[in-house]
Amino acid sequence: MFIHILGSGAGGGFPQWNCHCRQCRGFRDGAIQAQARTQSSITISADGIHWVLINASPDIRQQIAQFPKLAPGRAVRDTAISAIVLIDSQIDHTTGLLTLREGDTLELYCTEMVHQDLTSGFPVLNMLQHYCGVNWHPIGVGGEAFTIPEAHGLKFYPVSLSSKAPPYSPHRHDPHPGDNIGLKIEDTNSGKNLFYAPGLGEMDERIAEYMQDADLLLVDGTCWRDDEMSVEGVGQKLASEMGHLAQSGENGLIAVLENMSKPRKVLVHINNTNPILNENSTERALLAQHHIEVAYDGMDLEI
């Protein structure tokens, strides 16, 4: 299985256009060693030819342009993107659908809850029916596997997660299974699997089992600490209130991953306030001590 990180940042990317926090200021001033990041999205393939896009960020045009394997070339107008899978209905994971409106009908896989959000509070799918059209394939929330016809060799297992629906969602404060999912993605030829969860609010034994069994983890790297927004002076919400498990702390992600020896561990969806963006920070060094990597735009992984 081939995995390409199109975007490794959280909403707003890095540096965020209107942010003057330590990390954004340090990047612009050249005071820290860091890489710019677009908003979170990955693409995967079992054969290197047919690719599945997982989430469509507002930066999708730039991301496609920077990954030649998604470029047109088989016809006057075409794409190597066989289908799109959405793990939630957050704006930074769905707005890019509008950029894809010039193509053929979008083969879209998402849960009922996500489909409701994208046809009500943020009716992007209704809008696209006037352009390319959308062929919706419902994803269940009971863990039933699904396949995508052109994505030969891949099997997808949805994993319901505890996180948050978007602020515009009719059920923002009334959580439903399917508001947010992770994905176990299996290469049916090798038997190896990826567990992908860029929005992980809480851990439980069920999720831990998926993570322990994975060969590669791409998991939530949004915030270093739960009160990071207030510490950095950019807001008052806790990471947990936004549906993200912080890395530090007694029950943080580092502690969760500590005893998982099988998977390669990589953090994605990194907020501009997170000090791990500074490659010379003590926080980044601590991650390295725990054999945890930090994803970057253009990163290629293979299992």
Side-chain angles (χ1 to χ4, degrees), residues 68-229:
K69 291 184 179 180
L70 296 185
R74 294 150 295 272
V76 176
R77 286 192 173 179
D78 80 329
T79 178
I81 298 172
S82 298
I84 303 161
V85 179
L86 300 178
I87 62 164
D88 57 38
S89 54
Q90 298 286 348
I91 283 179
D92 49 315
H93 286 160
T94 58
T95 310
L97 293 171
L98 293 171
T99 301
L100 304 178
R101 66 190 181 277
E102 292 93 353
D104 292 333
T105 303
L106 300 181
E107 300 295 332
L108 184 71
Y109 293 73
C110 68
T111 67
E112 170 67 28
M113 289 298 103
V114 169
H115 187 265
Q116 284 185 21
D117 286 347
L118 298 183
T119 53
S120 59
F122 178 39
V124 60
L125 301 187
N126 301 346
M127 297 162 63
L128 287 169
Q129 295 297 354
H130 298 279
Y131 295 90
C132 57
V134 177
N135 187 17
W136 174 45
H137 305 266
I139 295 176
V141 292
E144 306 91 349
F146 66 94
T147 57
I148 295 172
E150 289 191 9
H152 309 294
L154 296 178
K155 185 177 286 188
F156 299 79
Y157 298 82
V159 182
S160 185
L161 300 179
S162 174
S163 189
K164 294 284 187 181
Y168 68 77
S169 171
H171 35 89
R172 168 69 168 182
H173 301 292
D174 179 23
H176 286 67
D179 286 339
N180 302 268
I181 61 170
L183 288 171
K184 172 186 172 180
I185 307 168
E186 179 185 357
D187 185 316
T188 58
N189 295 313
S190 69
K192 293 186 176 182
N193 77 88
L194 156 71
F195 183 73
Y196 180 59
L200 181 60
E202 295 178 12
M203 284 293 301
D204 58 35
E205 291 184 6
R206 174 182 54 93
I207 297 170
E209 288 178 2
Y210 277 105
M211 293 173 68
Q212 289 169 340
D213 183 58
D215 296 284
L216 172 64
L217 293 176
L218 290 176
V219 292
D220 195 336
T222 307
C223 291
W224 177 258
R225 51 189 294 170
D226 197 33
D227 60 353
E228 186 168 294
M229 303 298 282

Side-chain angles (χ1 to χ4, degrees), residues 212-265:
Q212 289 169 340
D213 183 58
D215 296 284
L216 172 64
L217 293 176
L218 290 176
V219 292
D220 195 336
T222 307
C223 291
W224 177 258
R225 51 189 294 170
D226 197 33
D227 60 353
E228 186 168 294
M229 303 298 282
S230 60
V231 168
E232 295 295 332
V234 298
Q236 296 301 317
K237 287 186 177 180
L238 299 174
S240 54
E241 292 174 334
M242 297 185 291
H244 299 286
L245 180 65
Q247 283 115 59
S248 63
E250 182 179 356
N251 298 310
L253 190 59
I254 293 175
V256 168
L257 297 177
E258 180 65 24
N259 296 317
M260 295 185 184
S261 58
K262 179 184 177 182
R264 181 178 177 182
K265 307 158 189 174

Side-chain angles (χ1 to χ4, degrees), residues 1-4 43-53 67 69-70 80 82 150-154 156 185 187 301-303:
M1 185 193 311
F2 304 99
I3 304 104
H4 182 82
T43 188
I44 62 171
S45 174
D47 59 11
I49 300 171
H50 302 90
W51 293 83
V52 176
L53 179 66
F67 187 45
K69 291 184 179 180
L70 296 185
S82 298
E150 289 191 9
H152 309 294
L154 296 178
F156 299 79
I185 307 168
D187 185 316
L301 300 158
E302 183 176 345
I303 57 172

